[in-house]
């Protein structure tokens, strides 16, 4: 199973050369640290899906001594592992470049990544192969573009909700958000596994 | 003799196509050729054997084990070669070995490099630069490097030039020498099998027509040629299908003895090749 996760690094060794410059680009563009953490986390797992979208990859993986459960688990666990790696690397880069960031940024960045993954990963198993990667990429850019203004709007007009959130202490809020993201992520895992079990290759 | 693969009443339905009630036993230590036209259901059947497809009904057992409970144990012992390349085409063989090797507990690096040498394969070139033949050899090298007891091949000779095909078939005979190994290979080129197969399973329009030893097939089936005036409703009963020409008829029989008794010396009885059997069988079904 660890071997399945390691596979992504072997497959993407060329793309990984761009990983550090990619992170640095966002830092130099003065993106918010949350944004940097988020895009850095997305890099490896979503690249991996771009590879796995090919039908032959599924034929290969399912012909090797792996169960379908393991194949899905490697995706979900791998994403978390690569996220931790990406956030550590980005933090190091931010630290070395003397850019300020907080634990809170890391928590929100990973929470957003988990939520985004939770909603997009199953798409790769539901829909026909070939288009999903593009759809996910576009939806990400759109969300990143209009997401903040939606949040502002919600904050303005849904006062009870924002008041409730404002009353929570910072710690509780971010830990709560991260935990909810994790729960959604696990639900998504179970869902993907269910779909994948029934697939024919 | 032990059965390595057992399909019992395996059925899989798709829109407009299905394989139905396949009862197929593949014997240990032999080469079984799986023949049928394109679209007859060969790949679907093979996919059920690899658990890439789950049958809607019936059961599939490999090494006497069920995929539901022993998926990994079964696949550890199978080597597979498919029609197209399933390996990441941007990678070279070295990297593919790093991905595929650790998946098998019995993976043998020495053996892998031995085959890579024997097949003259480049280790550092991306798979996508390989010719069709090289890709097949690469897949075969991988399939043979973890001491698999069962090699399943889906159309391994498709798209290969004749020399290469011959080379592959010789190689398959070579790897059979220890007697424990079983090979199951599908092809629509029956001439490949006349030379190497011990058993032939024949599938037609999603139904298994027969699964017999080459010897039994040549005992049971024959090509009969004779003048048209010998044919009538009674005599035709002994034929699977008859082709009529101005000069006479050609027919396939699966009852050689009966034909000999009925016609005696007035007809010519010849050995039927697999290709001829397939050809006449196709006619038979269409006329029903």
């Amino acid at each position: 199973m660890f071997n399945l996760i390691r596979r992504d690094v072997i497959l993407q060794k060329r793309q990984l050369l761009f990983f550090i410059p990619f992170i640095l680009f966002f830092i130099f563009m003065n993106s918010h640290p949350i944004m940097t953490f988020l895009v850095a986390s997305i890099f490896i797992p979503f690249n991996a899906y771009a590879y796995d979208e090919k039908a032959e990859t599924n034929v290969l993986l399912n012909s090797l001594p792996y169960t379908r459960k393991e194949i899905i688990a490697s995706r979900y666990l791998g994403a978390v592992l690569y996220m931790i790696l990406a956030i550590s690397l980005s933090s190091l880069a931010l630290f070395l470049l003397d850019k300020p960031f907080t634990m809170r940024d890391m928590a929100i960045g990973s929470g957003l990544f988990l939520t985004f993954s939770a909603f997009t990963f199953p798409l790769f198993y539901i829909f026909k192969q070939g288009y999903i990667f593009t759809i996910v990429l576009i939806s990400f850019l759109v969300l990143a573009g209009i997401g903040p203004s939606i949040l502002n709007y919600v904050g303005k007009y849904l006062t009870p909700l924002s008041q409730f959130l404002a009353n929570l202490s910072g710690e509780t809020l971010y830990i709560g958000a991260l935990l909810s993201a994790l729960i959604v992520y696990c639900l998504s895992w179970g869902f993907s596994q269910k779909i994948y079990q029934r697939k024919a290759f | 003799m032990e059965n390595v693969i057992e399909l019992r009443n395996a059925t899989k339905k798709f829109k407009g196509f299905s394989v139905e009630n396949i009862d197929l036993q593949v014997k240990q230590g032999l080469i079984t050729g799986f023949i049928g036209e394109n679209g007859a259901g060969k790949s679907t059947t093979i996919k059920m054997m690899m658990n890439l497809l789950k049958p809607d009904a019936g059961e599939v057992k490999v090494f006497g084990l069920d995929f539901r409970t022993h998926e990994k144990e079964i696949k550890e012992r199978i080597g597979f070669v498919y029609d197209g390349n399933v390996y990441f085409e941007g990678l070279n063989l070295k990297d593919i070995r790093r991905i595929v090797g650790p998946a098998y507990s019995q993976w043998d690096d020495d053996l892998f490099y031995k085959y890579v040498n024997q097949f003259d394969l480049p280790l550092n070139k991306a798979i996508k630069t390989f010719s069709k033949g090289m890709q097949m050899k690469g897949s075969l090298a991988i399939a043979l490097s973890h001491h698999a007891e069962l090699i399943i091949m889906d159309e391994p000779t498709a798209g290969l030039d004749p020399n290469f095909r011959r080379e592959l078939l010789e190689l398959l005979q070579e790897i059979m020498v220890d007697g424990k190994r079983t090979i199951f290979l599908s092809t629509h080129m029956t001439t490949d099998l006349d030379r190497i197969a011990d058993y032939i399973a024949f599938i037609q329009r999603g139904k298994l027509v027969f699964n017999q030893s080459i010897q039994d097939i040549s005992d049971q089936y024959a090509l009969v040629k004779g003048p048209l005036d010998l044919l009538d409703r009674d005599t035709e009963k002994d034929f699977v299908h008859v082709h009529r020409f101005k000069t006479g008829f050609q027919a396939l029989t699966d009852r050689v003895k009966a034909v000999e008794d009925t016609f005696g010396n007035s007809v010519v009885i010849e050995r039927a090749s697999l290709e001829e059997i397939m050809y006449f069988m196709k006619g038979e079904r269409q006329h029903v």
Side-chain angles (χ1 to χ4, degrees):
Chain A
M1 169 108 122
F2 171 69
N3 177 42
L4 273 172
I5 297 175
R6 204 183 61 129
R7 170 177 77 96
D8 294 335
V9 183
I10 300 175
L11 269 172
Q12 298 182 41
K13 55 182 181 183
R14 262 186 220 108
Q15 285 93 321
L16 284 177
L17 294 176
F18 298 103
F19 191 41
I20 305 272
F22 181 74
I23 295 174
L24 291 179
F25 173 77
F26 278 89
I27 295 176
F28 285 127
M29 292 295 285
N30 273 325
S31 302
H32 195 281
I34 295 177
M35 184 68 177
T36 309
F37 288 135
L38 180 58
V39 289
S41 304
I42 281 174
F43 194 88
I44 298 178
F46 280 86
N47 246 325
Y49 269 110
Y51 273 98
D52 281 8
E53 265 209 90
K54 298 202 170 123
E56 307 89 59
T57 305
N58 280 307
V59 172
L60 170 64
L61 292 182
N62 283 284
S63 299
L64 293 173
Y66 295 120
T67 60
R68 295 186 179 200
K69 252 186 202 161
E70 285 176 315
I71 293 169
I72 295 295
S74 78
R75 274 276 155 264
Y76 277 80
L77 288 177
V80 172
L81 200 78
Y82 288 121
M83 174 193 83
I84 294 172
L85 207 83
I87 289 184
S88 319
L89 256 173
S90 322
S91 314
L92 187 71
L94 285 165
F95 175 74
L96 291 176
L97 291 166
D98 212 18
K99 304 264 179 184
F101 67 97
T102 59
M103 287 296 281
R104 202 192 70 174
D105 298 334
M106 287 163 92
I108 297 179
S110 46
L112 284 177
F113 168 74
L114 291 176
T115 315
F116 181 67
S117 306
F119 285 104
T120 46
F121 282 6
L123 296 181
F124 289 95
Y125 304 108
I126 298 171
F127 291 112
K128 245 195 144 51
Q129 282 133 345
Y131 309 101
I132 312 120
F133 187 68
T134 333
I135 295 171
V136 168
L137 200 73
I138 291 170
S139 61
F140 172 74
L141 293 174
V142 170
L143 275 180
I146 64 166
S149 38
I150 291 180
L151 279 182
N152 271 337
Y153 178 85
V154 170
K156 247 185 225 160
Y157 295 96
L158 286 175
T159 26
L161 182 70
S162 45
Q163 224 136 51
F164 165 74
L165 292 175
N167 284 338
L168 294 172
S169 74
E171 299 277 294
T172 331
L173 186 64
Y174 298 121
I175 290 176
L178 191 57
L179 274 180
S180 346
L182 259 176
I183 290 169
V184 175
Y185 191 71
C186 289
L187 288 175
S188 160
W189 181 345
F191 182 62
S192 293
Q193 185 175 305
K194 220 173 190 148
I195 299 168
Y196 200 67
Q197 295 277 15
R198 280 198 229 130
K199 274 200 121 158
F201 299 107
Chain B
M1 219 177 314
E2 237 181 276
N3 294 326
V4 173
I5 306 175
E6 270 179 284
L7 267 68
R8 237 176 255 137
N9 275 317
T11 298
K12 180 79 196 175
K13 289 194 172 114
F14 297 102
K15 263 181 214 151
F17 172 75
S18 62
V19 290
E20 276 172 68
N21 300 319
I22 301 281
D23 264 305
L24 174 62
Q25 287 85 38
V26 177
K27 307 238 180 304
Q28 189 183 26
L30 301 179
I31 299 182
T32 298
F34 191 32
I35 61 172
E37 296 183 289
N38 289 329
K42 298 191 296 290
S43 291
T44 303
T45 308
I46 285 188
K47 283 178 175 175
M48 289 198 283
M49 291 174 176
M50 291 298 298
N51 202 31
L52 295 174
L53 279 180
K54 291 185 173 98
D56 300 331
E59 66 172 6
V60 177
K61 279 193 172 170
V62 184
F63 307 114
L65 304 169
D66 196 309
F67 273 107
R68 265 169 301 204
T69 48
H70 295 83
E71 173 148 26
K72 293 179 82 154
E73 291 88 332
I74 295 172
K75 287 180 184 169
E76 282 272 1
R77 295 157 71 183
I78 301 180
F80 55 88
V81 175
Y82 296 126
D83 179 3
N85 170 48
V86 294
Y87 296 99
F88 309 96
E89 51 176 25
L91 295 188
N92 57 33
L93 273 179
K94 244 187 197 162
D95 283 334
I96 290 175
R97 181 197 66 87
R98 284 165 68 201
I99 290 177
V100 175
Y104 293 104
S105 57
Q106 291 221 65
W107 180 264
D108 187 337
D109 264 343
D110 294 338
L111 202 56
F112 175 71
Y113 287 115
K114 192 200 100 166
Y115 282 117
V116 167
N117 265 332
Q118 188 183 334
F119 299 163
D120 265 332
L121 294 168
L123 278 169
N124 295 313
K125 274 194 182 157
I127 297 289
K128 63 182 165 210
T129 67
F130 282 24
S131 68
K132 180 98 178 134
M134 281 159 78
Q135 284 184 359
M136 201 282 304
K137 280 182 170 178
S139 304
L140 189 61
I142 294 168
L144 294 175
S145 296
H146 57 94
H147 303 280
E149 294 156 57
L150 168 64
I151 311 280
I152 293 182
M153 307 172 116
D154 192 6
E155 299 273 357
T157 56
L160 299 186
D161 63 57
N163 276 340
F164 221 110
R165 264 179 35 213
R166 210 183 169 113
E167 207 182 312
L168 169 72
L169 298 175
E170 274 164 16
L171 187 91
L172 292 183
Q173 277 176 310
E174 223 173 89
I175 62 171
M176 288 300 289
V177 283
D178 64 357
K180 273 194 210 140
R181 211 168 238 163
T182 308
I183 295 182
F184 184 81
L185 84 150
S186 78
T187 178
H188 60 277
M189 286 186 255
T190 52
T191 42
D192 290 344
L193 299 171
D194 285 329
R195 210 174 307 138
I196 61 159
D198 304 294
Y199 258 74
I200 300 290
F202 175 30
I203 190 171
Q204 192 178 45
R205 289 191 197 95
K207 295 214 169 77
L208 193 75
V209 181
F210 62 68
N211 177 29
Q212 288 176 304
S213 73
I214 285 263
Q215 190 56 49
D216 287 348
I217 293 170
S218 74
D219 288 348
Q220 190 183 340
Y221 291 92
L223 207 59
V224 183
K225 293 175 187 171
L228 284 171
D229 56 5
L230 292 177
L231 294 174
D232 58 46
R233 201 173 287 169
D234 274 341
T235 55
E236 271 188 49
K237 272 185 191 152
D238 291 333
F239 298 128
V240 176
H241 184 68
V242 182
H243 280 273
R244 289 178 168 79
F245 304 99
K246 274 184 193 143
T247 49
F249 75 90
Q250 270 192 35
L252 181 77
T253 179
D254 54 0
R255 275 170 266 175
V256 181
K257 191 81 189 60
V259 170
E260 278 169 354
D261 291 345
T262 316
F263 297 106
N265 284 333
S266 52
V267 293
V268 180
I269 301 178
E270 289 173 357
R271 185 180 169 268
S273 69
L274 289 173
E275 197 174 310
E276 284 157 341
I277 293 174
M278 265 172 80
Y279 178 64
F280 279 93
M281 291 264 186
K282 186 185 173 189
E284 177 236 359
R285 291 292 162 93
Q286 277 172 346
H287 282 250
V288 168

